[in-house]
Structure formats: structure tokens, C-alpha cells
Coordinates of all heavy atoms in Angstrom, one line a residue:
M297 N -1.8 7.3 -20.6 CA -1.6 7.2 -19.2 C -2.4 6.1 -18.6 O -3.3 5.5 -19.2 CB -2.1 8.5 -18.6 CG -1.9 8.8 -17.2 SD -2.3 10.4 -16.7 CE -2.0 10.3 -15.0
L298 N -2.1 5.7 -17.4 CA -2.7 4.6 -16.7 C -4.3 4.8 -16.5 O -5.0 3.8 -16.6 CB -2.1 4.4 -15.3 CG -2.4 3.2 -14.5 CD1 -2.0 1.9 -15.4 CD2 -1.7 3.2 -13.2
L299 N -4.7 5.9 -16.4 CA -6.2 6.2 -16.3 C -6.9 5.8 -17.5 O -8.1 5.4 -17.4 CB -6.4 7.7 -15.9 CG -5.9 8.1 -14.6 CD1 -6.2 9.6 -14.3 CD2 -6.5 7.3 -13.5
D300 N -6.3 5.9 -18.7 CA -7.1 5.5 -20.0 C -7.4 4.0 -19.9 O -8.4 3.5 -20.5 CB -6.2 5.7 -21.1 CG -6.1 7.3 -21.4 OD1 -7.0 8.0 -20.9 OD2 -5.1 7.7 -21.9
V301 N -6.6 3.2 -19.1 CA -6.8 1.7 -19.0 C -8.2 1.5 -18.2 O -8.8 0.4 -18.3 CB -5.7 1.0 -18.3 CG1 -5.9 -0.5 -18.2 CG2 -4.4 1.3 -19.2
L302 N -8.6 2.5 -17.4 CA -9.9 2.3 -16.7 C -11.0 2.2 -17.6 O -12.1 1.7 -17.1 CB -10.0 3.5 -15.6 CG -9.1 3.6 -14.5 CD1 -9.3 4.9 -13.8 CD2 -9.3 2.4 -13.6
N303 N -10.9 2.6 -18.8 CA -12.1 2.4 -19.8 C -12.2 1.0 -20.2 O -13.2 0.7 -21.0 CB -11.8 3.3 -21.0 CG -11.8 4.8 -20.5 OD1 -12.5 5.2 -19.5 ND2 -11.2 5.7 -21.3
T304 N -11.3 0.1 -20.0 CA -11.4 -1.2 -20.4 C -12.5 -1.9 -19.5 O -12.5 -1.8 -18.4 CB -10.0 -2.0 -20.0 OG1 -9.0 -1.4 -20.6 CG2 -10.1 -3.4 -20.4
P305 N -13.5 -2.5 -20.3 CA -14.6 -3.2 -19.6 C -14.2 -4.4 -18.8 O -14.8 -5.5 -19.1 CB -15.6 -3.3 -20.6 CG -14.8 -3.4 -21.9 CD -13.5 -2.6 -21.7
S306 N -13.2 -4.4 -18.1 CA -12.9 -5.6 -17.3 C -12.7 -5.2 -15.8 O -11.8 -4.3 -15.6 CB -11.6 -6.3 -17.9 OG -11.0 -7.1 -17.0
E307 N -13.4 -5.8 -14.9 CA -13.3 -5.4 -13.5 C -11.9 -5.8 -13.0 O -11.4 -4.9 -12.2 CB -14.5 -6.1 -12.7 CG -14.4 -5.5 -11.3 CD -15.7 -5.9 -10.6 OE1 -16.6 -6.6 -11.1 OE2 -15.7 -5.6 -9.3
A308 N -11.3 -6.9 -13.4 CA -10.0 -7.2 -12.9 C -9.0 -6.1 -13.2 O -8.1 -5.8 -12.4 CB -9.7 -8.6 -13.4
V309 N -9.1 -5.6 -14.5 CA -8.1 -4.6 -14.9 C -8.4 -3.3 -14.2 O -7.5 -2.7 -13.7 CB -8.3 -4.4 -16.4 CG1 -7.4 -3.1 -16.8 CG2 -7.8 -5.7 -17.2
Q310 N -9.6 -3.0 -14.1 CA -10.0 -1.7 -13.4 C -9.6 -1.8 -11.9 O -9.1 -0.8 -11.3 CB -11.5 -1.5 -13.5 CG -11.9 -1.1 -14.9 CD -13.5 -1.1 -15.0 OE1 -14.1 -1.7 -14.2 NE2 -13.9 -0.6 -16.1
R311 N -9.7 -2.9 -11.2 CA -9.3 -3.0 -9.8 C -7.8 -3.0 -9.7 O -7.3 -2.4 -8.7 CB -9.8 -4.3 -9.2 CG -9.7 -4.6 -7.8 CD -10.3 -5.8 -7.3 NE -11.8 -5.5 -7.5 CZ -12.8 -6.2 -6.9 NH1 -12.4 -7.2 -6.2 NH2 -14.0 -5.9 -7.2
A312 N -7.1 -3.6 -10.6 CA -5.6 -3.6 -10.6 C -5.1 -2.1 -10.8 O -4.2 -1.8 -10.0 CB -5.0 -4.4 -11.7
V313 N -5.6 -1.3 -11.6 CA -5.3 0.1 -11.8 C -5.6 0.8 -10.5 O -4.8 1.6 -10.0 CB -6.0 0.7 -13.0 CG1 -5.7 2.2 -13.1 CG2 -5.5 0.0 -14.4
S314 N -6.7 0.5 -9.9 CA -7.1 1.2 -8.7 C -6.2 0.9 -7.5 O -5.8 1.8 -6.8 CB -8.5 0.8 -8.3 OG -8.9 1.4 -7.1
N315 N -5.6 -0.2 -7.5 CA -4.6 -0.6 -6.5 C -3.3 0.0 -6.8 O -2.6 0.3 -5.8 CB -4.5 -2.2 -6.4 CG -5.7 -2.8 -5.9 OD1 -6.5 -2.2 -5.1 ND2 -5.9 -4.1 -6.3
C316 N -3.0 0.4 -7.9 CA -1.7 1.1 -8.2 C -1.7 2.6 -8.1 O -0.8 3.2 -7.7 CB -1.3 0.9 -9.7 SG -0.9 -0.9 -10.2
L317 N -3.0 3.1 -8.2 CA -3.1 4.6 -8.1 C -2.6 5.3 -6.9 O -2.0 6.3 -6.9 CB -4.5 5.0 -8.5 CG -4.8 5.0 -10.0 CD1 -6.3 5.3 -10.3 CD2 -3.9 5.9 -10.8
P318 N -2.9 4.8 -5.6 CA -2.6 5.4 -4.4 C -1.1 5.8 -4.3 O -0.7 6.9 -4.0 CB -3.0 4.5 -3.3 CG -4.1 3.7 -3.9 CD -3.8 3.6 -5.4
R319 N -0.3 4.9 -4.7 CA 1.2 5.0 -4.6 C 1.7 6.1 -5.7 O 2.7 6.9 -5.6 CB 2.0 3.8 -4.8 CG 1.8 2.8 -3.6 CD 2.7 1.6 -3.7 NE 2.2 0.8 -4.8 CZ 1.3 -0.2 -4.7 NH1 0.8 -0.6 -3.6 NH2 0.9 -0.9 -5.8
L320 N 1.0 6.1 -6.8 CA 1.3 7.0 -7.9 C 0.8 8.3 -7.7 O 1.5 9.4 -8.2 CB 0.8 6.5 -9.3 CG 1.4 5.1 -9.7 CD1 0.7 4.7 -10.9 CD2 2.8 5.3 -10.0
V321 N -0.2 8.6 -7.0 CA -0.8 9.9 -6.8 C -0.2 10.6 -5.7 O -0.1 11.8 -5.6 CB -2.4 9.7 -6.5 CG1 -3.0 11.0 -6.1 CG2 -3.1 9.3 -7.8
Q322 N 0.4 9.9 -4.6 CA 0.9 10.6 -3.4 C 2.0 11.6 -3.8 O 1.9 12.7 -3.2 CB 1.5 9.6 -2.5 CG 0.4 8.8 -1.7 CD 0.9 7.6 -0.9 OE1 2.1 7.3 -1.0 NE2 0.1 7.1 0.0
P323 N 2.9 11.3 -4.7 CA 3.9 12.3 -5.0 C 3.3 13.5 -5.7 O 3.9 14.6 -5.7 CB 4.9 11.6 -5.9 CG 4.6 10.3 -5.7 CD 3.2 10.0 -5.2
L324 N 2.2 13.4 -6.3 CA 1.5 14.5 -7.0 C 0.6 15.4 -6.2 O 0.0 16.2 -6.7 CB 0.8 13.9 -8.2 CG 1.5 13.1 -9.3 CD1 0.5 12.5 -10.3 CD2 2.5 14.0 -10.0
S325 N 0.5 15.0 -4.9 CA -0.5 15.8 -4.0 C -0.2 17.2 -3.9 O -1.2 18.0 -3.6 CB -0.6 15.1 -2.7 OG 0.7 15.1 -2.0
D326 N 1.0 17.6 -4.1 CA 1.3 19.1 -4.1 C 0.8 19.9 -5.3 O 0.6 21.1 -5.2 CB 2.8 19.3 -4.0 CG 3.4 18.7 -2.7 OD1 2.6 18.6 -1.7 OD2 4.5 18.4 -2.6
D327 N 0.6 19.3 -6.4 CA 0.1 19.9 -7.6 C -1.5 19.9 -7.6 O -2.2 19.1 -8.2 CB 0.6 19.2 -8.9 CG 0.4 19.9 -10.2 OD1 -0.3 21.0 -10.1 OD2 0.8 19.5 -11.2
K328 N -2.1 20.9 -7.0 CA -3.5 21.1 -6.7 C -4.2 21.1 -8.1 O -5.2 20.5 -8.2 CB -3.8 22.2 -5.8 CG -5.1 22.3 -5.4 CD -5.4 23.4 -4.3 CE -6.9 23.3 -4.0 NZ -7.3 24.0 -2.9
A329 N -3.7 21.9 -9.0 CA -4.4 22.0 -10.3 C -4.5 20.7 -11.0 O -5.6 20.4 -11.6 CB -3.7 23.0 -11.2
Y330 N -3.4 20.0 -11.0 CA -3.5 18.6 -11.6 C -4.4 17.7 -11.0 O -5.3 17.0 -11.6 CB -2.1 18.0 -11.6 CG -2.0 16.7 -12.3 CD1 -2.0 16.5 -13.7 CD2 -2.0 15.5 -11.5 CE1 -2.0 15.4 -14.3 CE2 -2.0 14.2 -12.2 CZ -2.0 14.2 -13.5 OH -2.0 12.9 -14.1
I331 N -4.4 17.6 -9.7 CA -5.4 16.8 -8.9 C -6.8 17.2 -9.2 O -7.7 16.3 -9.3 CB -5.0 16.8 -7.4 CG1 -3.6 16.2 -7.2 CG2 -6.1 16.0 -6.6 CD1 -3.5 14.8 -7.6
E332 N -7.1 18.5 -9.2 CA -8.5 18.9 -9.4 C -8.9 18.6 -10.8 O -10.0 18.1 -11.0 CB -8.6 20.5 -9.2 CG -8.5 20.9 -7.8 CD -8.4 22.4 -7.6 OE1 -8.3 23.2 -8.6 OE2 -8.6 22.9 -6.5
G333 N -8.0 18.7 -11.8 CA -8.4 18.2 -13.2 C -8.6 16.7 -13.3 O -9.5 16.2 -13.9
L334 N -7.8 15.9 -12.6 CA -8.0 14.5 -12.5 C -9.2 14.1 -11.9 O -10.0 13.3 -12.4 CB -6.8 14.0 -11.8 CG -6.6 12.4 -11.6 CD1 -6.5 11.8 -12.9 CD2 -5.5 12.1 -10.7
L335 N -9.6 14.7 -10.7 CA -10.7 14.3 -10.0 C -12.0 14.8 -10.9 O -12.9 14.2 -10.9 CB -10.8 15.0 -8.7 CG -9.8 14.3 -7.6 CD1 -9.8 15.2 -6.3 CD2 -10.2 12.9 -7.3
G336 N -11.9 16.0 -11.5 CA -13.0 16.5 -12.3 C -13.2 15.5 -13.5 O -14.4 15.2 -13.9
R337 N -12.2 14.9 -14.1 CA -12.3 14.0 -15.2 C -13.0 12.7 -14.8 O -13.8 12.2 -15.5 CB -10.9 13.7 -15.8 CG -10.8 12.7 -16.9 CD -9.4 12.5 -17.3 NE -9.3 11.3 -18.1 CZ -8.2 10.8 -18.4 NH1 -7.1 11.3 -18.0 NH2 -8.2 9.6 -19.1
L338 N -12.6 12.2 -13.6 CA -13.2 11.0 -13.1 C -14.7 11.3 -12.7 O -15.5 10.4 -13.0 CB -12.4 10.5 -11.9 CG -11.0 10.0 -12.3 CD1 -10.1 9.7 -11.0 CD2 -11.1 8.7 -13.1
I339 N -14.9 12.3 -12.1 CA -16.3 12.6 -11.7 C -17.2 12.8 -12.9 O -18.4 12.3 -13.0 CB -16.4 13.8 -10.8 CG1 -15.8 13.5 -9.4 CG2 -17.8 14.3 -10.6 CD1 -15.6 14.7 -8.4
A340 N -16.7 13.4 -13.9 CA -17.4 13.6 -15.2 C -17.7 12.2 -15.9 O -18.7 11.9 -16.3 CB -16.7 14.5 -16.2
A341 N -16.7 11.3 -15.7 CA -16.9 10.0 -16.3 C -17.9 9.1 -15.6 O -18.5 8.2 -16.1 CB -15.5 9.3 -16.4
L342 N -18.2 9.5 -14.3 CA -19.2 8.8 -13.5 C -20.6 9.1 -14.1 O -21.5 8.2 -13.9 CB -19.2 9.3 -12.1 CG -18.0 8.7 -11.2 CD1 -18.1 9.4 -9.9 CD2 -18.1 7.3 -11.1
R343 N -20.8 10.1 -14.9 CA -22.0 10.4 -15.5 C -22.2 9.8 -16.9 O -23.2 10.0 -17.6 CB -22.2 12.0 -15.6 CG -22.2 12.6 -14.3 CD -22.5 14.1 -14.5 NE -22.6 14.8 -13.2 CZ -21.7 15.5 -12.5 NH1 -20.6 15.6 -13.1 NH2 -22.0 16.0 -11.4
A344 N -21.2 9.1 -17.4 CA -21.2 8.6 -18.8 C -22.5 7.7 -19.0 O -22.9 6.9 -18.2 CB -20.0 7.7 -19.1
G345 N -23.1 7.9 -20.2 CA -24.2 7.2 -20.6 C -24.0 6.4 -21.8 O -22.8 6.2 -22.3
G346 N -24.9 5.9 -22.5 CA -24.8 5.1 -23.7 C -24.6 3.7 -23.5 O -24.5 3.2 -22.3
P347 N -24.4 3.0 -24.6 CA -24.3 1.5 -24.5 C -23.0 1.0 -23.6 O -23.0 0.0 -23.0 CB -24.1 1.0 -25.9 CG -23.9 2.2 -26.7 CD -24.3 3.4 -25.9
S348 N -21.9 1.8 -23.7 CA -20.7 1.3 -23.0 C -20.6 2.2 -21.7 O -19.5 2.2 -21.1 CB -19.5 1.5 -23.9 OG -19.3 3.0 -24.2
G349 N -21.6 2.8 -21.3 CA -21.6 3.7 -20.1 C -21.2 3.0 -18.8 O -20.5 3.4 -18.0
Y350 N -21.8 1.7 -18.6 CA -21.7 1.1 -17.4 C -20.2 0.8 -17.1 O -19.7 1.1 -16.0 CB -22.4 -0.3 -17.3 CG -22.2 -1.0 -16.0 CD1 -23.0 -0.7 -14.9 CD2 -21.3 -2.0 -16.0 CE1 -22.7 -1.4 -13.8 CE2 -21.1 -2.7 -14.7 CZ -21.8 -2.3 -13.7 OH -21.5 -3.0 -12.5
G351 N -19.5 0.3 -18.1 CA -18.0 0.0 -17.9 C -17.2 1.3 -17.7 O -16.2 1.3 -16.8
L352 N -17.6 2.4 -18.4 CA -16.9 3.6 -18.1 C -17.2 4.1 -16.7 O -16.2 4.7 -16.0 CB -17.4 4.8 -19.2 CG -17.0 4.4 -20.6 CD1 -17.6 5.6 -21.5 CD2 -15.4 4.4 -20.7
R353 N -18.4 4.1 -16.3 CA -18.8 4.6 -14.9 C -18.1 3.7 -13.9 O -17.5 4.2 -12.8 CB -20.3 4.5 -14.6 CG -21.0 5.7 -15.4 CD -22.4 5.7 -14.9 NE -23.1 4.5 -15.1 CZ -23.8 4.1 -16.3 NH1 -23.8 4.9 -17.3 NH2 -24.5 2.9 -16.2
R354 N -18.0 2.4 -14.1 CA -17.3 1.5 -13.2 C -15.8 1.8 -13.1 O -15.3 1.8 -12.0 CB -17.6 0.1 -13.6 CG -17.2 -1.0 -12.6 CD -18.2 -0.9 -11.5 NE -17.9 -1.9 -10.5 CZ -18.5 -2.0 -9.3 NH1 -19.5 -1.2 -8.9 NH2 -18.3 -2.9 -8.5
G355 N -15.2 2.0 -14.2 CA -13.8 2.4 -14.3 C -13.5 3.7 -13.5 O -12.5 3.8 -12.8
A356 N -14.4 4.7 -13.8 CA -14.2 5.9 -13.1 C -14.4 5.7 -11.6 O -13.7 6.4 -10.8 CB -15.2 7.0 -13.7
A357 N -15.2 4.9 -11.2 CA -15.4 4.7 -9.7 C -14.3 4.0 -9.1 O -13.8 4.6 -8.0 CB -16.7 3.8 -9.6
Y358 N -13.6 3.1 -9.8 CA -12.5 2.5 -9.3 C -11.3 3.6 -9.4 O -10.4 3.6 -8.4 CB -12.0 1.3 -10.1 CG -12.7 0.0 -9.7 CD1 -13.6 -0.7 -10.6 CD2 -12.3 -0.5 -8.4 CE1 -14.2 -1.8 -10.0 CE2 -13.0 -1.7 -8.0 CZ -13.9 -2.3 -8.8 OH -14.4 -3.5 -8.4
G359 N -11.2 4.4 -10.3 CA -10.0 5.4 -10.4 C -10.2 6.4 -9.3 O -9.3 6.8 -8.7
L360 N -11.5 6.8 -9.1 CA -11.8 7.8 -8.1 C -11.3 7.3 -6.7 O -10.7 8.0 -5.9 CB -13.2 8.2 -8.0 CG -13.6 9.4 -7.2 CD1 -12.9 10.7 -7.4 CD2 -15.1 9.5 -7.1
S361 N -11.7 6.0 -6.5 CA -11.3 5.3 -5.3 C -9.8 5.3 -5.1 O -9.3 5.6 -4.0 CB -11.9 3.8 -5.3 OG -11.4 3.2 -4.2
G362 N -9.1 4.9 -6.1 CA -7.6 4.9 -6.0 C -7.0 6.2 -5.7 O -6.0 6.4 -4.9
V363 N -7.6 7.3 -6.4 CA -6.9 8.7 -6.2 C -7.2 9.1 -4.8 O -6.4 9.7 -4.1 CB -7.6 9.6 -7.3 CG1 -7.2 11.1 -6.9 CG2 -7.0 9.3 -8.6
V364 N -8.4 9.0 -4.3 CA -8.8 9.4 -2.9 C -8.0 8.7 -1.9 O -7.5 9.2 -0.9 CB -10.4 9.4 -2.7 CG1 -10.7 9.5 -1.3 CG2 -11.1 10.3 -3.5
K365 N -7.9 7.4 -2.1 CA -7.0 6.7 -1.2 C -5.6 7.1 -1.2 O -4.9 7.2 -0.1 CB -7.0 5.1 -1.5 CG -8.4 4.5 -1.1 CD -8.4 3.1 -1.7 CE -9.8 2.5 -1.3 NZ -9.9 1.1 -1.8
G366 N -5.1 7.5 -2.3 CA -3.7 8.1 -2.4 C -3.5 9.4 -1.7 O -2.4 9.7 -1.2
L367 N -4.5 10.2 -1.9 CA -4.5 11.6 -1.4 C -4.9 11.7 0.1 O -4.5 12.6 0.8 CB -5.3 12.5 -2.2 CG -5.0 12.7 -3.6 CD1 -6.2 13.6 -4.3 CD2 -3.7 13.4 -3.7
G368 N -5.6 10.7 0.7 CA -6.0 10.7 2.0 C -7.4 11.0 2.0 O -8.0 11.7 1.1
I369 N -8.1 10.6 3.1 CA -9.5 10.9 3.3 C -9.9 12.3 3.3 O -11.0 12.7 3.0 CB -10.0 10.1 4.6 CG1 -11.6 10.0 4.5 CG2 -9.6 10.8 5.8 CD1 -12.0 9.0 3.5
G370 N -9.0 13.2 3.7 CA -9.2 14.7 3.7 C -9.6 15.2 2.3 O -10.3 16.1 2.1
S371 N -8.9 14.6 1.3 CA -9.2 15.0 -0.1 C -10.7 14.7 -0.5 O -11.1 15.4 -1.4 CB -8.3 14.3 -1.1 OG -8.6 12.9 -1.1
F372 N -11.3 13.8 0.1 CA -12.7 13.5 -0.2 C -13.6 14.8 0.0 O -14.4 15.0 -0.9 CB -13.1 12.3 0.7 CG -14.4 11.7 0.3 CD1 -14.6 11.0 -1.0 CD2 -15.6 11.6 1.1 CE1 -15.6 10.4 -1.4 CE2 -16.7 11.0 0.6 CZ -16.8 10.3 -0.6
K373 N -13.3 15.5 1.0 CA -14.1 16.6 1.2 C -13.4 18.0 0.7 O -13.9 18.9 0.1 CB -14.3 17.0 2.7 CG -15.3 18.0 3.0 CD -15.8 18.2 4.4 CE -16.6 19.3 4.6 NZ -17.1 19.4 6.0
G374 N -12.0 18.0 0.9 CA -11.2 19.1 0.4 C -11.3 19.4 -1.1 O -11.3 20.6 -1.4
Y375 N -11.5 18.4 -1.9 CA -11.5 18.7 -3.3 C -13.0 18.7 -3.9 O -13.2 18.7 -5.1 CB -10.7 17.7 -4.1 CG -9.3 17.9 -4.0 CD1 -8.4 17.2 -3.2 CD2 -8.6 18.9 -4.8 CE1 -7.1 17.5 -3.1 CE2 -7.3 19.1 -4.8 CZ -6.5 18.4 -3.9 OH -5.1 18.6 -3.8
G376 N -13.9 18.7 -2.9 CA -15.4 18.7 -3.3 C -15.9 17.4 -3.9 O -17.0 17.4 -4.6
V377 N -15.3 16.2 -3.6 CA -15.7 15.0 -4.2 C -17.0 14.6 -3.5 O -17.9 14.2 -4.2 CB -14.6 13.9 -3.9 CG1 -15.2 12.5 -4.4 CG2 -13.4 14.2 -4.7
L378 N -17.1 14.8 -2.2 CA -18.2 14.4 -1.4 C -19.5 15.2 -2.0 O -20.5 14.6 -2.2 CB -18.1 14.7 0.1 CG -19.2 14.3 1.0 CD1 -19.5 12.8 0.9 CD2 -18.8 14.7 2.4
E379 N -19.3 16.5 -2.2 CA -20.4 17.3 -2.6 C -20.9 16.9 -4.0 O -22.1 16.9 -4.4 CB -20.0 18.8 -2.7 CG -19.9 19.4 -1.3 CD -18.6 19.0 -0.6 OE1 -17.5 18.7 -1.4 OE2 -18.4 19.2 0.7
S380 N -19.9 16.5 -4.9 CA -20.2 16.2 -6.3 C -21.1 14.9 -6.3 O -22.1 14.7 -7.0 CB -19.0 15.9 -7.1 OG -18.3 17.1 -7.2
L381 N -20.6 13.9 -5.5 CA -21.3 12.5 -5.5 C -22.6 12.8 -4.8 O -23.7 12.2 -5.3 CB -20.5 11.6 -4.6 CG -19.1 11.1 -5.2 CD1 -18.4 10.1 -4.2 CD2 -19.3 10.6 -6.6
K382 N -22.7 13.6 -3.8 CA -24.0 13.9 -3.2 C -25.0 14.5 -4.2 O -26.2 14.1 -4.3 CB -23.9 14.8 -1.9 CG -25.2 15.0 -1.2 CD -24.9 16.0 0.0 CE -26.3 16.3 0.6 NZ -26.1 17.3 1.6
G383 N -24.5 15.5 -4.9 CA -25.3 16.1 -5.9 C -25.8 15.2 -7.1 O -27.0 15.2 -7.5
M384 N -24.9 14.3 -7.4 CA -25.4 13.3 -8.4 C -26.4 12.2 -7.8 O -27.3 11.9 -8.6 CB -24.1 12.4 -8.8 CG -23.1 13.3 -9.7 SD -21.5 12.7 -9.9 CE -21.8 11.1 -10.6
V385 N -26.3 11.9 -6.7 CA -27.3 10.9 -6.0 C -28.6 11.7 -6.0 O -29.7 11.1 -6.2 CB -26.8 10.5 -4.7 CG1 -27.9 9.8 -3.9 CG2 -25.7 9.5 -4.8
E386 N -28.6 12.9 -5.7 CA -29.9 13.7 -5.5 C -30.6 14.0 -6.8 O -31.7 14.5 -6.7 CB -29.6 14.8 -4.6 CG -29.3 14.6 -3.1 CD -28.9 15.7 -2.3 OE1 -28.6 16.8 -2.9 OE2 -28.8 15.5 -1.1
N387 N -29.9 14.1 -7.9 CA -30.4 14.4 -9.2 C -31.3 13.4 -9.7 O -30.9 12.3 -10.3 CB -29.2 14.7 -10.2 CG -29.8 15.3 -11.5 OD1 -31.0 15.4 -11.8 ND2 -28.9 15.7 -12.3
K388 N -32.6 13.5 -9.6 CA -33.6 12.5 -10.0 C -33.7 12.3 -11.5 O -34.2 11.4 -12.0 CB -34.9 12.8 -9.5 CG -35.0 13.0 -8.0 CD -34.6 11.7 -7.3 CE -34.8 11.8 -5.7 NZ -34.3 10.7 -5.1
K389 N -33.1 13.3 -12.3 CA -33.3 13.3 -13.8 C -32.1 12.6 -14.4 O -32.2 12.3 -15.7 CB -33.5 14.6 -14.3 CG -34.7 15.4 -13.9 CD -34.7 16.7 -14.5 CE -36.1 17.4 -14.0 NZ -36.1 18.7 -14.4
D390 N -31.1 12.3 -13.7 CA -29.9 11.6 -14.3 C -29.6 10.2 -13.7 O -28.9 10.2 -12.7 CB -28.7 12.5 -14.1 CG -27.4 12.0 -14.8 OD1 -27.5 11.0 -15.6 OD2 -26.3 12.6 -14.5
A391 N -30.2 9.2 -14.2 CA -30.1 7.9 -13.6 C -28.6 7.4 -13.8 O -28.1 6.7 -12.8 CB -31.0 6.9 -14.4
D392 N -28.0 7.8 -14.9 CA -26.5 7.3 -15.0 C -25.7 7.9 -14.0 O -24.8 7.3 -13.5 CB -26.1 7.7 -16.4 CG -26.7 6.9 -17.5 OD1 -27.1 5.8 -17.3 OD2 -26.8 7.5 -18.7
G393 N -25.9 9.2 -13.7 CA -25.2 9.8 -12.6 C -25.4 9.3 -11.2 O -24.4 9.1 -10.5
R394 N -26.6 8.9 -11.0 CA -27.0 8.3 -9.7 C -26.2 6.9 -9.5 O -25.6 6.7 -8.5 CB -28.4 8.0 -9.5 CG -29.2 9.4 -9.1 CD -30.6 9.1 -8.7 NE -31.3 8.1 -9.4 CZ -32.1 8.4 -10.5 NH1 -32.2 9.8 -10.8 NH2 -32.8 7.5 -11.1
E395 N -26.3 6.2 -10.6 CA -25.6 4.9 -10.6 C -24.1 5.0 -10.5 O -23.5 4.4 -9.7 CB -25.9 4.1 -11.8 CG -25.3 2.7 -11.9 CD -25.6 1.9 -13.2 OE1 -25.6 2.7 -14.2 OE2 -25.8 0.8 -13.1
G396 N -23.5 6.0 -11.1 CA -22.0 6.3 -11.1 C -21.7 6.7 -9.7 O -20.6 6.2 -9.2
S397 N -22.5 7.5 -9.1 CA -22.1 7.9 -7.8 C -22.2 6.8 -6.7 O -21.4 6.7 -5.8 CB -23.2 9.1 -7.3 OG -23.0 9.5 -6.0
L398 N -23.2 6.0 -6.8 CA -23.2 4.8 -5.9 C -22.2 3.8 -6.2 O -21.6 3.2 -5.3 CB -24.7 4.2 -6.1 CG -25.9 5.1 -5.6 CD1 -27.1 4.3 -6.0 CD2 -25.8 5.3 -4.2
Q399 N -21.7 3.7 -7.5 CA -20.6 2.8 -7.7 C -19.4 3.4 -7.0 O -18.6 2.6 -6.5 CB -20.4 2.7 -9.2 CG -21.5 1.8 -9.9 CD -21.2 1.7 -11.4 OE1 -20.6 2.6 -12.0 NE2 -22.0 0.8 -12.0
A400 N -19.2 4.7 -7.1 CA -18.0 5.3 -6.6 C -18.0 5.1 -5.0 O -17.1 4.7 -4.4 CB -18.0 6.8 -6.9
S401 N -19.2 5.3 -4.5 CA -19.3 5.0 -3.0 C -19.0 3.5 -2.6 O -18.4 3.3 -1.6 CB -20.7 5.4 -2.5 OG -21.1 6.7 -2.8
E402 N -19.4 2.6 -3.5 CA -19.2 1.2 -3.2 C -17.6 0.9 -3.3 O -17.1 0.2 -2.4 CB -19.8 0.4 -4.3 CG -19.5 -1.1 -4.2 CD -20.0 -1.9 -5.3 OE1 -20.8 -1.3 -6.2 OE2 -19.7 -3.0 -5.5
C403 N -16.9 1.5 -4.3 CA -15.5 1.3 -4.4 C -14.7 2.0 -3.3 O -13.6 1.4 -3.0 CB -15.0 1.8 -5.8 SG -15.7 0.8 -7.2
L404 N -15.2 3.0 -2.7 CA -14.4 3.7 -1.7 C -14.5 2.8 -0.5 O -13.6 2.7 0.3 CB -15.0 5.1 -1.4 CG -14.7 6.1 -2.5 CD1 -15.6 7.4 -2.3 CD2 -13.2 6.5 -2.4

């Protein structure tokens, strides 16, 4: 799927995918279970650590941005994205999560 390309450590590729996602996600907005799974996967990727963690977090941030833009600003709160990002920023023990949350905020 297109979301797997977000793992590519190239900002140009990640940005291009993010720009495509809004038009692709809009028709799927009625499938709440799929959207929740998709957002959960992206939010979990924002916490990625390890040597390749930065690229994964950055890709997840771009992906989350594209999905939220496609669903509308109401999805930011309606699907709990705002609460998840807030919780990640406030977690002092998880530096990777804080960084991922701030990257997502930047991309939005």
C-alpha cells in the first residue's frame, strides 16, 4: 500500500505521499474501523525508536498529516489524534514519542 512508502527515508517521497493521501482517504471516511486502524498504525509509528527511527517517525508524521487533511479537521479530535499527540508530548520517559508528536504537529 502507499503507506508503506512512508518508511522510505526520503523527505521528498514522504511529502509526495502526504500530498496524495487526502484525496485517497476522503472516500474511505465512512469506514470508521479502517480509519481508526490506519490512524492507530501511524500514531504507533510516531513512537518508533532505534537507528532508523527518525525516518519512520518523520514518515508517520507526514502520513498522519495527509490522513487528517483528507478527513477534515474534525477528525483530529474525533478520532482521538489530539489526545494521543498530547499524551506523547507529556510523557517525559519517551523521547522518541515526544519527537514524533512534535514532528506530526509540524507537518499538520
Side-chain angles (χ1 to χ4, degrees):
M297 185 173 182
L298 190 59
L299 291 176
D300 293 333
V301 178
L302 289 171
N303 296 337
T304 304
S306 167
E307 187 170 357
V309 172
Q310 293 169 342
R311 187 170 296 193
V313 171
S314 177
N315 290 335
C316 293
L317 283 175
R319 290 182 297 265
L320 297 173
V321 171
Q322 286 173 347
L324 300 173
S325 63
D326 294 335
D327 190 354
K328 188 171 180 166
Y330 179 78
I331 296 297
E332 287 175 348
L334 179 63
L335 290 172
R337 174 180 165 192
L338 291 169
I339 290 171
L342 288 173
R343 294 184 174 102
S348 62
Y350 178 82
L352 295 175
R353 287 190 301 273
R354 192 71 176 173
Y358 275 114
L360 184 64
S361 170
V363 171
V364 168
K365 286 176 185 174
L367 296 174
I369 196 70
S371 67
F372 196 60
K373 187 171 182 181
Y375 286 100
V377 175
L378 182 62
E379 291 82 16
S380 296
L381 295 179
K382 182 180 174 190
M384 289 167 51
V385 166
E386 292 174 348
N387 185 355
K388 301 294 183 195
K389 296 181 181 179
D390 184 14
D392 292 332
R394 282 195 315 271
E395 182 180 37
S397 177
L398 293 174
Q399 287 175 344
S401 299
E402 175 189 349
C403 291
L404 288 166

